[in-house]
Structures are given as C-alpha cells and as structure tokens.
Amino acid sequence: MASLPTINYAGTFLSCYSDYKHQCVHKMRDHALVYIYAGELLLEEENTKTTFHKEECLFIRRDHRTVMTKQACGDENFKGIFMTFRRNFLREFYNTKLNKKAIPEKAEAADRNIYPIAPRPDLISLFHSLTPYFDASILPTKEIINLKEQEGVYALLNTDKIFYPILFDFTEPWKIDILEFMNENYMYNLTMEEIATFTGRSLATFKRDFAKISDLTPQKWLINKRLQAAYEKLQEEGKKVSDVYVEVGFKNLSHFYSAFKRHYGYSPAK
C-alpha cells in the first residue's frame, strides 16, 4: 500500500501520514514536540521500547538517535504532528521573550531523551489549531509558524520546570565516532550532510575526519559496507536476494545486482 505524503512547513512542524508500518532511524537534530492524532508511534533506543497512542503527547530531546516506527492502529492510519525547535529560534526566544525572573533557580533536566507529556488543554489547543493547514492548499506564514512555536515553548515551560535547562542549553553536540555511527546506521537512507550533523560535524569537517580513518570516500565505504552485510545475510543466514537488498540499504534491485557482481565477481543469486 502506498504511503500518503508528509507535509513539511519550513522544517518547523510537519505532519506524517502512513497507511502502513513505516520504520526509520532518526537522529534528532532539534528538540521536537509531538502529538499523535491517530495510530501509534513506537520509539526504540538501546533496549527500551515506548509506544505512544492516539491523543498522547511527547517531547524528544535533540542530539540522540532513536528508531521510530509509525504504524496504524485498527482502522486508523498513523497521523501525527512534529513541531521542531531550532537553536536559533530558542536563542531568540530566550533573549527577547523569556521572563528571566521566571527562570527557576533549581531546575535540573533528567538524564532522559524522551519525555511523555500529559495532554494539557494548551497543548491540545495548539496542535488542533494546526490541522486546518494540513487539509488546505494555503501555507501558514512565517509569522504564524513563529507564533505557534512560541506557543509550544510556553506550553512546555508551563508543563514542567525541567524544560528550562533543556530548551535553553545552547551548547553544541559532542563529536561522536564516525565509523561507529556508520556501522550502526549504514542501512538507512542518510545523506552525507545528515551523517555529518549526526556525528556533530560540519560537512567539511566530516569529510576531513573521514579521510583520516579511511582511504575510501564515505559514499564508497557505505556501498562496500552494504555489500559486505548483504553477502553475510545471503551466505550465512540463507536469506533471499529480494529481502536482503532492502535490508542493507539499496533502493533498487538492479543496482544491487550490478554493484554486487562488480564487487564480488558473481551475482548475488549465484
């Protein structure tokens, strides 16, 4: 079954629809406030799995990876809105909108990445006010988007004081090991720009650091890694070619065949 379109307004908030089970890995570059209209959202990080249902709300912290599965529940397809808060927006909010006297003296953020949030009236009202834009051809203005983001921040701050140190921490993410990240995420459709960001680097710094650890380009390394993983799945696990090429990150079966034969000298079927 085909998926319905994802609608993205300036990268600020987006609505995701799906009429089938869709799984992807996300490295949250920005904080996200999420509301589930229908279906289920399954989040998995390390050995912990959490499922969010219809009319539930959550906050996802930036600079960490999570496997996200959007799936139908009964007869209802998945439908949700993800409102993201970029660093420059939060800096401007902190400098121009936030009442500094209201900042709690003792507010320490818990060492967590995912925060379930009770569906307060202000949050429900916020997300319901966005739905007309997803059913119409009229785009919201930048001013409207900015106001909705501000509304989201105020709602979070009113929910719990722990969101003060989370939202207004402007330190940059630490660099993480490039090969460790790529070995864990080679099968996902990530651009070089995304991989650079997810490892805490600019694209130029990523390419420079990668050249120190491999004679291959990052793109060539990814292809070789996918082919190696495919070989192991075919040879040792006895899987079918039609299943393996998708599992290791190839989009096209004919491309997989030609790349495999070029690398190993014979077809994956053989």
Side-chain angles (χ1 to χ4, degrees), residues 126-156:
L126 166 63
F127 283 109
H128 283 195
S129 71
L130 299 176
T131 55
Y133 292 109
F134 301 113
D135 299 320
S137 58
I138 300 175
L139 298 179
T141 63
K142 291 182 179 180
E143 291 77 14
I144 291 295
I145 290 176
N146 187 266
L147 287 173
K148 294 301 179 182
E149 287 181 325
Q150 291 181 39
E151 192 176 341
V153 171
Y154 281 124
L156 285 170

Side-chain angles (χ1 to χ4, degrees), residues 111-180:
D111 187 20
R112 297 162 55 193
N113 295 318
I114 299 170
Y115 296 79
I117 300 176
R120 296 161 45 95
D122 50 3
L123 287 170
I124 294 175
S125 173
L126 166 63
F127 283 109
H128 283 195
S129 71
L130 299 176
T131 55
Y133 292 109
F134 301 113
D135 299 320
S137 58
I138 300 175
L139 298 179
T141 63
K142 291 182 179 180
E143 291 77 14
I144 291 295
I145 290 176
N146 187 266
L147 287 173
K148 294 301 179 182
E149 287 181 325
Q150 291 181 39
E151 192 176 341
V153 171
Y154 281 124
L156 285 170
L157 297 179
N158 291 334
T159 298
D160 198 313
K161 65 181 182 180
I162 63 172
F163 289 111
Y164 279 90
I166 292 176
L167 292 171
F168 305 122
D169 175 10
F170 302 121
T171 56
E172 296 300 321
W174 289 97
K175 289 184 180 180
I176 65 174
D177 186 87
I178 291 177
L179 288 184
E180 179 182 351

Side-chain angles (χ1 to χ4, degrees), residues 20 30 54 67 82 88-89 94 115-116 125 135 158 191 196 200 209 216 218-219 227 249 257:
Y20 68 104
D30 299 294
K54 181 179 179 179
V67 176
F82 294 67
N88 57 353
F89 163 78
Y94 180 85
Y115 296 79
S125 173
D135 299 320
N158 291 334
T191 65
D209 288 351
L216 302 174
Q219 292 89 342
L227 291 172
Y257 258 88

Side-chain angles (χ1 to χ4, degrees), residues 67-84:
V67 176
M68 185 178 295
T69 304
K70 305 161 190 172
Q71 58 192 20
C73 181
D75 296 330
E76 290 189 317
N77 300 328
F78 174 84
K79 182 179 179 181
I81 286 185
F82 294 67
M83 175 180 283
T84 58

Side-chain angles (χ1 to χ4, degrees), residues 20-37:
Y20 68 104
K21 185 175 180 179
H22 178 68
Q23 185 178 78
C24 55
V25 65
H26 281 268
K27 171 65 162 64
M28 303 303 297
R29 286 184 273 184
D30 299 294
H31 299 307
L33 179 60
V34 185
Y35 182 79
I36 312 300
Y37 283 105

